Amino acid sequence: MDSDPGLAALRPLGGFFVLRASRPSPPLALPTLAHAYAPVYGGVAPDVHAGAGEDPLAFRVGKVAAVLRAPEMRVAASVAHQGLAARLWSVALGCAVRYGGVPDLAPRLLRWDPDAGAPDDLWLAELRPLPGDVGTIGEAVLRGHLAPLTAALHTRYRVATGLLWGNAASALAGAGRELERWAGHHGRADIADHARSLTTGLLDHPLLTGTGTFTGTLPTTDTLPGTGPFPGTETETEPGPGTEPGPGPEPGPLPAFRRRSCCLYYRVPGSGICGDCCFSRPPGSARPPGSARPPGPARPAAAPRSPRSRRSSPGAPSG
């Protein structure tokens, strides 16, 4: 990491893994994530890039709501949460497997463009290497980012905390799975093993306990659950120094994760359920006459919707 201050080795992994960490500074006056997570914006001391009256988190949720035509702001809040969680997990796991360590991802060091497409655009103000173990990554991502983000979205949009921690687990599983897929394409069994070890270790964190479980493996021909950003203009990441040769043969089967909550994406017009959803069909959708309800948790009441096939969940890494 010290010899690669631009973190170029992350670029071949895909746009969700990229972290802008070299000069120049962001071209726009971007807020820090510390500012975005603040529970009361009027009481936050302004930094050099963002005034105390600005509300980047509300702006982001509003943007996602407009793009998705979300029927409820809490749906947009959930999707925005999962998108940012996917970026943070991807950056941390990508650095750990490619460099053996992670940069200090403190919210005050990360600038964020709430007006960007997907994946979320992140800039790191200063590169401070830290160990790449489960404990360090958990402290940086779960405690440093997802805990205050979850608290802010729960307070402001009344999104259930269990749902948001389910989003965090889903995004983590998706990031780990994408690293395994990349490693399989490039014959890097060491990276695949490292990514799986970190992912399973992080899913054992007390904040993620009970959010979901691995249920077997996915055929590589299947669409991977948890791999689609929210619809809209996507951020294009151009390959740079450190780009490696193109993909080789398809990797072997990849781990399948099933969460115990629902991110609410099925409420978006024209959508379906995500690939790792606890539901087997959108809640309230019609079933053939005489068919039994599929096993699983009780379904909440919802307006009738046409049944749709599983699709990738929004906001998680794409490969």
Side-chain angles (χ1 to χ4, degrees):
M1 194 179 299
D2 290 332
S3 61
D4 183 15
L7 301 180
L10 299 179
R11 297 175 192 169
L13 303 176
F16 271 86
F17 292 85
V18 171
L19 178 60
R20 303 181 192 275
S22 59
R23 301 295 180 183
S25 298
L28 303 173
L30 300 181
T32 63
L33 283 172
H35 183 78
Y37 302 154
V40 181
Y41 289 87
V44 178
D47 60 23
V48 294
H49 288 285
E54 295 180 356
D55 193 341
L57 187 58
F59 184 95
R60 183 62 171 182
V61 172
K63 179 182 177 71
V64 174
V67 171
L68 293 180
R69 294 179 291 119
E72 303 171 70
M73 290 303 289
R74 69 190 186 108
V75 175
S78 172
V79 174
H81 174 273
Q82 190 162 354
L84 186 54
R87 283 289 279 124
L88 293 164
W89 284 129
S90 298
V91 165
L93 293 182
C95 285
V97 302
R98 296 292 273 159
Y99 295 104
V102 296
D104 186 348
L105 299 174
R108 62 185 176 79
L109 297 177
L110 275 174
R111 298 199 176 274
W112 173 57
D113 184 0
D115 197 25
D120 295 64
D121 199 8
L122 298 177
W123 296 72
L124 185 63
E126 186 177 346
L127 194 62
R128 301 175 180 176
L130 298 173
D133 57 276
V134 167
T136 301
I137 296 173
E139 188 68 21
V141 178
L142 286 170
R143 301 289 187 187
H145 288 274
L146 298 185
L149 176 61
T150 292
L153 292 174
H154 172 68
T155 299
R156 302 181 69 179
Y157 299 100
R158 309 313 301 170
V159 188
T161 55
L163 181 159
L164 294 171
W165 287 119
N167 284 355
S170 174
L172 169 59
R177 187 171 51 246
E178 290 303 301
L179 280 173
E180 287 195 49
R181 182 164 65 163
W182 183 91
H185 277 310
H186 294 83
R188 294 294 305 270
D190 57 328
I191 286 181
D193 291 343
H194 193 182
R196 185 170 299 197
S197 175
L198 289 173
T199 301
T200 55
L202 288 162
L203 284 169
D204 284 336
H205 192 282
L207 288 174
L208 299 181
T209 300
T211 54
T213 184
F214 286 106
T215 59
T217 58
L218 292 169
T220 57
T221 54
D222 281 3
T223 300
L224 297 177
T227 57
F230 74 86
T233 303
E234 296 186 19
T235 302
E236 295 294 336
T237 304
E238 294 295 331
T243 300
E244 300 188 6
E250 284 289 330
L254 297 166
F257 182 78
R258 176 63 59 87
R259 60 186 289 173
R260 294 195 173 98
S261 60
C262 173
C263 71
L264 305 178
Y265 185 65
Y266 76 91
R267 294 179 180 266
V268 171
S271 68
I273 57 172
C274 304
D276 59 358
C277 187
C278 62
F279 299 125
S280 59
R281 67 181 73 242
S285 61
R287 296 190 303 276
S291 64
R293 182 182 295 277
R299 271 63 173 170
R305 295 175 182 271
S306 299
R308 294 178 180 270
S309 60
R310 289 185 181 274
R311 57 180 292 168
S312 299
S313 61
S318 58

